[in-house]
Structure formats: structure tokens, C-alpha cells
Amino acid sequence: MAEIEVAGLTHRYRRVAALDNVSLSVPAGALYALLGPNGAGKTTLLQILAGLLRPTYGSVRVLGREAGRLTAADRYELGYVAEGQQLPLWMTLERMEAWLAPLYPGWDATLAGHLRERFRLPAGRRLGTY
């Protein structure tokens, strides 16, 4: 079964087609990369897959559900980090973890600690200094 099914996807920003009749299928367990120059539609496709944008035409299914109707449980299975993410540079890593943990029901503090150790990230250091 495919985890991602895209058929005839078109997305337009007014007169500009960011995606034009794109179709693809990504099976469970597969790893794909999106390659292309700026403006090729990579980010637009990811935003549609995450349910952040609606397609102009076509169908998009993620985890067996229409991308625009993903539930909170579905979104828990996805990961998406937007380009240009702004961080509070004054905040320490420890404080940032404490702020984020309640937002994620599956937050694993032990894993966070292991990752900090693995990447040698002092918890008391401000994000802007990394």
C-alpha cells in the first residue's frame, strides 16, 4: 500500500503553475528526495502533502487519507520543518525543550537527552550561540 498517492496534482499561484499535473506514488518504507531548482515546486508539494495548502486540481492522499483532512493523530506520524524557521535565539536549549514538550504527546525526554549528548549540545546554552 502506498503511503503517499498524488494524481494529476496542479497548484497555481494566480497565473503561475507551481505544480502542473504531477502524479506519484510512494510506498510504505520508501525514502524519496525532491530535487530541482528554486521555483520547481518542491516546497509547494510538501506543503500540500502536509495539508498546509490545498491543491488547485488533482487528488492527494497521505496515510490513506485526503491530505486536507489529516487528523491530529495522522500529523503525529509526519514530520515537516519549514525553510527559514525562526527560533527564539535568546532561549536556552533546555528551555526550548520544556516549551515544546507539552505540544507533542509523544515527546521523549530521554531521547532528547541522548541527542543532546550525541551532538554535544549543552542544555544551558542559548540557541543563538549554536
Side-chain angles (χ1 to χ4, degrees):
M1 180 176 147
E3 295 286 355
I4 298 172
E5 284 286 344
V6 176
L9 174 62
T10 296
H11 186 78
R12 300 186 69 79
Y13 294 100
R14 297 187 185 166
R15 292 190 285 179
V16 175
L19 300 167
D20 188 19
N21 198 28
V22 173
S23 296
L24 67 100
S25 179
V26 178
L31 177 65
Y32 279 52
L34 297 174
L35 302 174
N38 289 344
K42 301 177 301 290
T43 300
T44 299
L45 176 60
L46 290 175
Q47 289 175 340
I48 291 171
L49 291 173
L52 301 173
L53 283 179
R54 293 187 182 270
T56 306
Y57 304 105
S59 66
V60 178
R61 298 184 68 75
V62 177
L63 304 174
R65 188 179 312 276
E66 183 184 324
R69 298 187 184 278
L70 293 170
T71 66
D74 295 329
R75 291 180 192 282
Y76 184 72
E77 299 296 320
L78 305 176
Y80 174 74
V81 179
E83 181 180 8
Q85 192 79 27
Q86 296 295 313
L87 295 173
L89 301 179
W90 55 268
M91 192 179 279
T92 65
L93 178 56
E94 182 177 53
R95 179 103 168 121
M96 180 66 136
E97 288 177 10
W99 184 69
L100 290 173
L103 302 175
Y104 296 92
W107 183 270
D108 186 338
T110 303
L111 175 60
H114 288 303
L115 292 172
R116 263 191 270 105
E117 288 177 24
R118 179 178 177 191
F119 294 105
R120 297 183 183 124
L121 302 171
R125 199 164 153 190
R126 291 181 184 197
L127 298 177
T129 65
Y130 287 113

